[in-house]
Amino acid sequence: MDDLPHEKQIKEYVKTIDHLKKQSQDTPLFHKEIVKLEQKLETLKKQVYSELTPWQRIMISRHPSRPHTSNYIQNICSSFEELNGDRRFGNDRAVMGGLAQIGEMKCVLIGQEKGHDTESRIDRNFGMLNPEGFRKAMRLMKLAEKFNLPVVSLLDTPGANPQLEAEERGQGLAIAENLRDMANLKTPIIVIVIGEGFSGGALGMGVGDVVGMLEHACYSVISPEGCASILWKNPSKNVDAASALKLNSEDMLSMQIIDAIINEPLGGAHQDPQTVYKNVKQFILEQWQILKRIPVEILLEQRYLKFRKMGRTGKNETSI
């Protein structure tokens, strides 16, 4: 597991405790010292993780051991049948999707997948969608609408693929069509930001009736590196950009961009994935119990109003 810079002192405590435990397997010589160190470790963890900067939290959202869509599918779905292709160009491996069952809920689950090692990350294009990825996601959402199934959409992407071939195949149009069609989809949509949620890559799968966000996930119109390159012409200003963008979960909640924050274990989802799977599954099932009782006409009107009111910055200002 890769250590983050702010976790360095914590890891040193853990190593010391593990060393003392090995030395005292057959004798209680270090027992009192181990207990004291464990108490100091817990205090240190609470202090470090309560003082995280926006950039440090972005590093948590990008941690290589952080659960991805494939992990959620394996751990919250009792069954999953993957469906592939957009029926126009090809199959975008940056998107996983298919028919799933979560608890008693049958649904269509789609999510952005980054991969877990060098080979799979290249295969998944690091979670950066091509136009066929957005069209694949929408094809599956239309399937959900046809069979009256709710949609669960998991967001985890550094952004849509910015390369020329993606633009040649209609990247902007694919995102725009998804925004339009998700706004009008006649079935409940639950969106959860599980890691990075940057740019149109996230928003192209992010229109929903309820939007949840993991505590240390991030959600913004642009990545800090991209923002720094545009505003300061210097990507190394990413730390300043992270603070200026207000992209953390509590910022999103206060601006009503999201509806709920889903708790993570102390230090991030990678510290205790099973707890995160439990929390995400609970959130999905709770929201489904609410949304399934709302008539479609009211559901669509509420979805429209939800996104229409975003962008208000003052009491006397209207949405744009």
Side-chain angles (χ1 to χ4, degrees):
M1 181 181 295
D2 295 17
D3 296 340
L4 298 175
H6 61 266
E7 295 178 326
K8 183 178 180 181
Q9 192 176 0
I10 293 173
K11 296 301 179 183
E12 290 175 353
Y13 264 88
V14 171
K15 288 180 181 178
T16 301
I17 292 170
D18 289 343
H19 176 73
L20 289 176
K21 285 181 176 179
K22 289 179 181 178
Q23 294 295 321
S24 61
Q25 285 180 350
D26 301 320
T27 173
L29 182 63
F30 300 116
H31 179 70
K32 290 184 179 179
E33 188 64 28
I34 290 172
V35 172
K36 288 181 181 179
L37 283 173
E38 287 177 335
Q39 291 173 345
K40 289 182 179 179
L41 175 61
E42 288 306 308
T43 302
L44 178 62
K45 282 182 177 180
K46 291 177 182 177
Q47 178 184 349
V48 169
Y49 294 133
S50 66
E51 298 173 352
L52 292 171
T53 66
W55 177 249
Q56 287 172 331
R57 292 177 69 182
I58 286 175
M59 294 177 71
I60 291 175
S61 77
R62 293 173 173 174
H63 195 283
S65 297
R66 188 176 179 87
H68 296 161
T69 290
S70 57
N71 301 115
Y72 284 97
I73 290 173
Q74 292 169 5
N75 287 275
I76 72 173
C77 298
S78 56
S79 66
F80 180 75
E81 186 66 36
E82 187 170 8
L83 302 173
N84 295 304
D86 70 339
R87 301 297 188 267
R88 297 189 193 179
F89 180 82
N91 181 46
D92 189 345
R93 297 273 294 160
V95 181
M96 294 185 70
L99 300 168
Q101 180 160 349
I102 303 172
E104 296 299 318
M105 181 184 77
K106 294 180 180 179
C107 66
V108 167
L109 186 150
I110 54 175
Q112 297 155 341
E113 174 61 39
K114 292 179 175 179
H116 295 84
D117 53 30
T118 302
E119 184 178 354
S120 63
R121 285 170 188 151
I122 293 172
D123 180 47
R124 302 283 185 180
N125 199 31
F126 302 88
M128 295 185 293
L129 279 67
N130 283 295
E132 53 271 21
F134 293 108
R135 294 177 182 129
K136 170 184 176 179
M138 181 48 61
R139 182 177 75 82
L140 298 183
M141 285 188 258
K142 291 286 188 181
L143 189 68
E145 180 183 55
K146 179 179 180 179
F147 293 105
N148 297 314
L149 296 172
V151 172
V152 176
S153 180
L154 305 181
L155 308 185
D156 187 17
T157 178
N161 187 5
Q163 296 182 352
L164 180 61
E165 61 265 23
E167 297 297 340
E168 289 175 339
R169 295 201 297 273
Q171 184 74 288
L173 178 62
I175 294 173
E177 287 180 336
N178 270 28
L179 296 177
R180 178 197 65 196
D181 294 343
M182 288 186 80
N184 293 291
L185 199 73
K186 295 178 181 179
T187 195
I189 307 173
I190 300 170
V191 176
I192 304 176
V193 188
I194 61 173
E196 293 183 275
F198 289 134
S199 191
L203 192 57
M205 287 174 52
V207 177
D209 300 294
V210 61
V211 180
M213 183 173 176
L214 285 180
E215 182 181 353
H216 294 303
C218 44
Y219 201 24
S220 177
V221 68
I222 193 171
S223 69
E225 292 87 349
C227 176
S229 296
I230 293 171
L231 293 184
W232 291 287
K233 310 299 181 185
N234 184 358
S236 66
K237 290 277 190 179
N238 52 2
V239 176
D240 296 325
S243 298
L245 284 169
K246 303 293 182 185
L247 41 65
N248 297 128
S249 57
E250 60 272 15
D251 301 315
M252 295 293 100
L253 187 63
S254 67
M255 292 186 285
Q256 300 181 50
I257 305 298
I258 65 169
D259 302 293
I261 297 173
I262 304 172
N263 292 331
E264 295 187 30
L266 193 64
H270 62 284
Q271 299 286 358
D272 184 5
Q274 291 302 322
T275 296
V276 179
Y277 301 143
K278 179 182 176 182
N279 293 345
V280 168
K281 182 177 180 179
Q282 181 179 347
F283 176 80
I284 292 171
L285 294 177
E286 286 177 351
Q287 297 304 319
W288 175 61
Q289 289 297 328
I290 297 170
L291 295 174
K292 71 178 183 179
R293 292 179 169 85
I294 302 175
V296 171
E297 296 78 11
I298 297 176
L299 193 73
L300 293 177
E301 182 65 17
Q302 288 180 343
R303 191 185 302 162
Y304 169 80
L305 292 173
K306 171 184 174 60
F307 283 83
R308 187 70 177 86
K309 70 182 180 182
M310 291 179 186
R312 291 180 179 174
T313 57
K315 292 183 179 179
N316 298 321
E317 296 183 28
T318 57
S319 302
I320 298 174

